[in-house]
Amino acid sequence: MPLPPLAQVRTVLLDWEGTARGPRGLPPELLSCLEHLNRLGVDLVILAESDPAEVASELPEPRGPGGIFIASLAFPGLLRLNRSGTHVLLEKPVDPNELEAVKGVGARVRQALAEGGMRTELAPFPAGVLLNLAPDLPTEPTKRPHLLSALAERLARTGLAGLHQIAGMVRDEAARVGARLRVLPELPHLRLSLATKGDLARLALEALLGEDEPEGMLTLADEFGPLGGLPGPDFFLLEGLAASGEGLAAGGRFVFVSVGLEPEGVPDPVLPLGGGPETTVQVLRRLAEEVRAFPEPWPDPRWCLTSEGYDPNAEADRESWFTVSNGRMGTRGSLEEGAEESRPATYLAGLFGRPEAEGAQPVLVPGPDWVHLEPRVAGERLDLDRGSVIEHTRVLDMRRGILFRLWRHRLPSGREARFRSLRMASLRRRGLSLLQAELESDSVPGLLSDSIPVVTLHPAAETVRAEARGRGVRVEVRPRGGTPGIFAIQTSEEEGRLARVLSACRGTGPAVEERVERELEEAVQAGPAVLRAEHEAEWRRRWRSSDIRVVGDDRLQQALRFALYHLISAVDPEEKSTSVGARGLTGPGYHGHVFWDTEVFVLPFYAFTWPEAARALLSFRYRTLPAARARARRHGFRGALYPWEAADTGEDVTPPTGIGPDGKPFPIRTGEQEHHISADVAWAAWFYWEATRDEEWLLAEGAEIILETARFWTSRATLGRDGRYHIRKVIGPDEYHEGVTDDAFTNAAAAWNLRKGAEVAELLSGMDPAAWRALSRRLGLRAKELAKMERVASGLVPEPHPESGVYEQFRGYFALKDVLATDLHERPFAGEAVLGLKRLARSQLIKQADVLMIPFLLPEAMDDDLLAANYAYYEPRTCHGSSLSPPVHAALAARLGRLDEALSYLRMAASVDLGNSMANAALGVHLGSMGGMWQTVVRGFGGLRVAEDAILLDPKLPPGWEELCFTLLWRGTRVTVKARQEAISITLDSRARMGVGSQPPSLIGPGRVTWVRRAGAWERAQELDRGGREGLRDAASGPSDPSFGPRPSSPPRDGAGLAT
Amino acid sequence: MGLGWLLEPADLPPGWSPARILAAASQAAAVLAVRPGVRVPKRPRRVIVAHEATPLPAPGVDLADTVAVATGAEVLLVHVLPSGAGPEGRPKPPGTLEPPRFVDHGHHDWLAWRREFERRFCHLSRGVKATVVLETGSPARAILQATRHYLGDLLILTWKRQAAPGRARVVRKILREAPCPVLLIGEETEPGETESTWEAGGGLLLSAGSQGGCWP
């Protein structure tokens, strides 16, 4: 069958009548084909003319990760089939006035034909009328050529030149009465319809994909070609998909197949196969085979990170980049066969051990190297260092969360070996990871594995016990002073094809062991294709909520997706006992410890795209509140003082000393003094609350975090002789100055935390008085203490200089030696390496934003003038010695309209891992900087801000960006933002209060609203409901939606007979 | 088998200047230069090696290793981050390990950088103790400062053998001010081309390809 490759197809649009269902009903194999595709994660959209309930009754019950949808002209909208039946996903209601107009057109055309001596019948359907031109002729599809000639004869007798002449009559009549309709030849009918299958297809794709770029799509229909001079009814599928935003321009990703007779040929790019429903079955079977086979990465560099060749010195960096993780387990992208430079590791979240060395801090203990293989061809070992590499490519397919490797090698014997592998950490079954590999040489299969995975004893592990079990191995890693991890690995290998599954869990006891074994067994039963399909479907869901699309800067697009890929990979929303370390599960860097990076830089991404994940991270802080309380007590304070570095227990694990760049030991005081972490955690809790209004969580966990951290600050601040409150001996985000008094950021964050404490108390007492009484009693909180929170907050607020507007970073800062970082060294640079810690402390040089962290976290704390003054002062004094500094400056520069500068800082952030500018990407990627990149784009360039009950957007796109598109979840509403330089469209799936620019927020949606910028101000231009119908248009704004209209579609082939 | 010799002051030609040393060194695989007045210890305790953190062959590290094995000396690798240098400096070969420009958590990040440096560039014999130090400033001054600060007994420098006037300014300055003997090795010297041992009498024996030496 001359079909193009279908392996990338993940959506099938299947015309029902004539394509799937023939005169003899459904072919018997069709149902099993559809079931199979559903299990392989392929979405199926049925495009029908008949009653969707009848269609649904013939379809299989969906049991796999794919979705089954029905779009029918008999019910203009989209239904989803699930185990309990169908439910309406989207409705495109028909305007009764328009419907009446169509009926009127039909009646008048019928009358005109009758006057000419032609008998017709008219039957209504929900979106128009069917005009039967030959009620007495047979209608089977197989008889259509005959039908067409019989009809032509009959028309000629009536003096009509052909169908297009009747269509012309319809068009003229429709134009006369202002009716918008399409004429579809469905012989012997002409369907006069307000909707086409193309409209339904577009609707379905918008509902399925939103603003996502579609993956491969296969459209199967039977009437693409013209009939009687009119475009066939399925022609509008081409048109509808072109208008969906990607369409035919997708260049080969969309495959159109006709199984119909197509007597007058088919338009490009339709492949005419003929054969009716039997051919449909064959095509779908072929699709299933290709999807099931060893896949290829998605062929789009904006979605893939590719490494060609092999560079020993960069190998460990690549392995961090190429980590596959699902937040519960992460496997570095190491070479399966191993190499001297390779640093393989698989981490299980929370598997911390304490090395025996005195004063050693807990570290993440790796599990077995379960991806290790020993590939051999005819006894010869495959090794990058032996023989010569013909091709070696690794591709991280970020869209699907799969790492691919393709390796062609000339062995010392002269044989050519072909190896390929893929690996993934299942996003659906988080206890599982999958490795598949194939090896052959001259069509002879190789041998991939004849040994158990490599197991080593880590210094922080007490024991590692490996035990062979059947075709697998079970490994128990028992860390020193931590909870054990169980790893069960099963391998199957046949004819040079290997599939290996890892099932792992942290915990101990029979229940954990049983779970690990059961999940392993279920995965083996399901097989690799199903595991991949589920995983891909879950990644699709995640990208739909998280993707950022930048049109006009492909390089940055790739870097942004790299950041989002790792952010999505880092968290397990079901796991509440661990948090996300600064390097996630991508390497041993920072020992897996958790810093403020998680709450301030990473969590906002989750709060707005994946609230369950944000909640899980906050639950870790709730679970470790007792440790934070104990820590505050040890320091002589009340409330909760969170640790600067945390591992699994919530104890502070910051080491007391380190070795500096000069090789000399230096004291580490961050653990002792960097107390803003407590306010940072409270800020994250409030941020989550603002984004979600999750009352249950606020009552159960959030309020307690905010109140206990606020309580900490009441005891941490002291009343000075000047009548103001002061916080002494702290380290702010700028860590070059230690033991300072009244650090601007710490004071501002503390004051904010204190106010939120009082506010939460008031909120809870109104929301659930009984719950508030119980909580306040449990915490021993009295009105007096709440009043003190307000009092201390008022006494703490730092004040800007009355003339310059600049905040002094801490008391005495302005008296320090004024040195500009820009004069000292090309930025970014590590200040301690260039100047030394002592000289830094005597200068005004700062490591990263400190005063500027105030507007980053609390935008309302500085208006644009104040921000501009502080930015102008502090930015040149900042070394950007932290990877967290560039995204903060990028976001603030964007707010100030310094767009080139913002873009430059965003690129600097992107270089942290991809450019290895920290020289330690080998130890894992830097999630804080990645979260900061999301904030730069969404909060900076998108101008997202949260008001009391609304979100505000004020997009400012840097030069070169044609379009910026991102999605947010705002209190249960999905908000898709598409911004261009002069226009912004916002699509909502329910109602929400939103504002753009300086316009006051208003309640909008569901549907799409467009604003255009005129004379520097945003004006609302158009509002469409979810069905795409116009709901509101600002009369003064002229033609609507100048920038987001559908792309021009292909004109009808015959150019005649279409009334539009 | 090369000639090699044990450096004895009596064997050396009279007259000392950096230019003369460089002229000799440009013809040699390696040259040991000892500034007038500088003491040559009987047994070195610390050998300083200036390292550019590139994966290019590092004969200096090999020599330092030989000396360390023979004498038990500690090896100190000094990498210099030139002041004012930015990411767009001289092109570096792939595999170069620049010092980190971002240091989020100094105690983690500096340790990580040093370990990576050692992993890539310090291929020393078992038992040889090595330390990596990052200095900033003008390269000559920074190397001299580290040599003084860490009480180096021998400083090993790799150079490009370009002795024309105006070239090798860093080497010239170091030769003029070094507080200890300086061993200059040509950049293209192949590993093994130069062997060295430290003799109990207080000197460095160069062999196999070594052609010259200078002594006050």
Side-chain angles (χ1 to χ4, degrees), chain A residues 593-607:
Chain A
H593 293 177
V594 180
F595 300 81
W596 73 317
D597 308 35
T598 303
E599 278 76 19
V600 170
F601 290 88
V602 171
L603 186 135
F605 164 73
Y606 299 128

Side-chain angles (χ1 to χ4, degrees), chain A residues 19 163-164 180 200 319 321-322 376 457 536 579 595 703 720 908 924 962 1003 1039:
Chain A
T19 305
L163 278 180
H164 65 271
R180 299 188 298 177
L200 297 180
E319 292 181 355
W321 293 358
F322 292 151
R376 284 169 194 276
L457 182 64
E536 287 181 20
S579 186
F595 300 81
M908 196 187 279
E962 294 165 29
L1003 201 58

